[in-house]
Amino acid sequence: MMTSLRRGRSAVPASADPAHPPAAPDTAALLAALPSPVLALDRGGTIAFVNPAAEQFFGVSAAQLIGSPLAEFVAAHSPLFALVDAVWQSGGSIAEYDLVLEGPRFSARPVTIEGAPAGEGADFLVLTLHERSMADKMDRQLTHRNAARSVTAMAAMLAHEVKNPLSGIRGAAQLLEEDADAAGRELTQLICDETDRIVALVDRMEAFSDYVPITRDEINIHEVLDRVRRIAQSGFARHVRISEDYDPSLPPVHGDRDLLLQVFLNLVKNAAEAAPAMSGEIVLTTAYRHGFRLAVLGSEGRRHLPLMVSVADNGGGIPDNLKPHLFDPFVTTKRKGTGLGLALVAKVIGDHGGVIEFDSQPRRTVFRVFLPVFTPSGVAQDGNG
């Protein structure tokens, strides 16, 4: 690894002293600053070095990783091991694109893996992992915002153009019912029932309206999740085991408690419906992600979204053909579903300045919500600058 940089004359400060060149930067410090996971293996497959990004990726501390076989942290069938063998045999660098990496402590993730020996004839091999998910998050975020905008416009149209005429239709049916025979009353009752059903749907659509501002406050996200868990286990998730993996040191969220409760109730309900009837499991996780920032459209700023909440289930996964459109309105896999639940979730999270994204494989689907934190000034911490 090169530890010095070649510079042109114009890049050298006038005050530089040629007799005392600056010291070469510390290699470990450079690796620690990298956002991509980096680890070194010896010829026996034992981990000899990890940087902080690798600790976060595997969900294990450096003290536990170093000195342990890589096979303890990566699934035995992983193509990563074939890549490692190929690097040792060839003596050169090899890259594999779009591999799915999974292990006992982390969910399946699409990654590009680069492996290379640490010098000619070296006894160590360096692996670098590049997650594809950050670009996916940004693409999905734009898609979700567009979906939210289309639903907002649709909500305004429905509320204005449909709801009022429906009340007139229902009133007319009730008047006809007074002079109708039994068969006629059955038809007028059908008209009333169907208009009531459509009004209820329009009422749900009005939740997407931009006319009602969000009342934000200092919210303990664990209190919200505890309420969600109790509601779920007393009703729709009785058959599912719900476990928690919380970071108790999380700062408060800057948000609307009732809307966040609605968001996570919806995500947990979907997870409960996807989980198998036997041995179904939902895992609620909270964590602090220091480096997650989102560009703010129309400005040069970045919004800092360090607070992550995830809802994972062990169901069959989301069909591939639905993944690009999952947050669009009226997209659903449920026979009696309206397809508005995840569209509403995307809008509420977007209104909070946050991001929602997901990974889905058979037996492992995870929805992750990234939110801004509350600061003493009463505004979201956005990390602009």
Side-chain angles (χ1 to χ4, degrees):
M1 177 177 292
M2 294 184 64
T3 56
S4 62
L5 300 176
R6 188 172 182 176
R7 300 171 181 261
R9 289 180 181 274
S10 61
V12 179
S15 60
D17 184 357
H20 298 88
D26 179 65
T27 304
L30 291 176
L31 291 172
L34 291 177
S36 298
V38 178
L39 58 157
L41 305 178
D42 65 17
R43 289 186 176 272
T46 299
I47 300 172
F49 169 85
V50 293
N51 69 346
E55 294 180 77
Q56 183 171 319
F57 181 91
F58 289 102
V60 183
S61 68
Q64 293 176 276
L65 287 164
I66 295 174
S68 300
L70 179 62
E72 289 187 9
F73 307 101
V74 178
H77 62 272
S78 174
L80 172 61
F81 296 110
L83 182 146
V84 169
D85 290 341
V87 171
W88 284 126
Q89 291 173 12
S90 69
S93 63
I94 296 177
E96 290 280 353
Y97 298 89
D98 291 337
L99 296 180
V100 175
L101 202 61
E102 59 183 322
R105 295 175 176 84
F106 64 96
S107 60
R109 301 179 191 177
V111 295
T112 291
I113 305 176
E114 296 176 301
E120 189 174 348
D123 290 326
F124 293 97
L125 177 150
V126 178
L127 294 175
T128 306
L129 313 180
H130 301 279
E131 287 195 82
R132 200 181 65 208
S133 59
M134 289 306 295
D136 290 345
K137 285 170 187 165
M138 297 303 100
D139 289 342
R140 288 172 181 166
Q141 176 64 12
L142 293 175
T143 300
H144 305 165
R145 284 176 173 174
N146 290 336
R149 289 192 188 102
S150 66
V151 173
T152 298
M154 192 183 304
M157 181 274 292
L158 283 173
H160 213 264
E161 303 296 335
V162 177
K163 202 170 179 180
N164 289 339
L166 283 175
S167 63
I169 292 171
R170 195 183 195 285
Q174 289 175 322
L175 289 175
L176 289 174
E177 187 177 17
E178 295 177 0
D179 300 322
D181 57 14
R185 284 194 295 273
E186 183 177 344
L187 292 175
T188 56
Q189 186 59 50
L190 177 63
I191 294 172
C192 291
D193 291 343
E194 285 302 294
T195 54
D196 289 344
R197 184 180 64 82
I198 297 171
V199 167
L201 178 60
V202 173
D203 286 339
R204 289 193 65 190
M205 290 294 296
E206 283 189 299
F208 292 96
S209 173
D210 281 336
Y211 299 130
V212 181
I214 292 180
T215 304
R216 301 193 190 192
D217 203 351
E218 180 178 359
I219 305 298
N220 183 329
I221 197 64
H222 294 132
E223 292 180 358
V224 172
L225 294 175
D226 182 64
R227 175 75 178 275
V228 168
R229 181 186 57 78
R230 286 189 282 113
I231 293 173
Q233 290 194 314
S234 65
F236 56 79
R238 287 195 202 94
H239 67 292
V240 178
R241 183 170 70 91
I242 300 179
S243 57
E244 300 162 343
D245 183 10
Y246 292 165
D247 178 353
S249 65
L250 284 187
V253 181
H254 187 239
D256 183 301
R257 183 181 183 278
D258 290 341
L259 289 177
L260 291 176
L261 182 67
Q262 183 179 8
V263 162
F264 291 109
L265 266 176
N266 195 303
L267 292 177
V268 171
K269 188 174 189 295
N270 287 349
E273 292 173 349
M278 301 293 292
S279 69
E281 183 180 15
I282 296 173
V283 181
L284 304 177
T285 303
T286 62
Y288 196 86
R289 298 287 185 257
H290 292 273
F292 194 91
R293 293 174 185 267
L294 175 68
V296 179
L297 295 179
S299 75
E300 297 180 357
R302 297 286 191 275
R303 183 169 293 278
H304 190 203
L305 304 175
L307 199 150
M308 186 208 69
V309 182
S310 71
V311 179
D313 67 73
N314 62 341
I318 298 166
D320 289 339
N321 65 314
L322 289 186
K323 289 179 181 179
H325 313 288
L326 194 62
F327 293 93
D328 290 350
F330 307 114
V331 173
T332 181
T333 59
K334 303 173 187 176
R335 190 167 57 182
K336 296 184 179 180
T338 61
L340 295 178
L342 287 178
L344 179 59
V345 166
K347 181 184 185 299
V348 170
I349 295 303
D351 288 346
H352 279 76
V355 175
I356 180 169
E357 57 96 16
F358 68 93
D359 295 314
S360 184
Q361 305 288 334
R363 302 182 303 281
R364 179 72 176 178
T365 295
V366 186
F367 283 83
R368 298 182 185 90
V369 175
F370 295 86
L371 292 166
V373 301
F374 185 87
T375 59
S377 62
V379 296
Q381 186 184 58
D382 58 13
N384 289 348

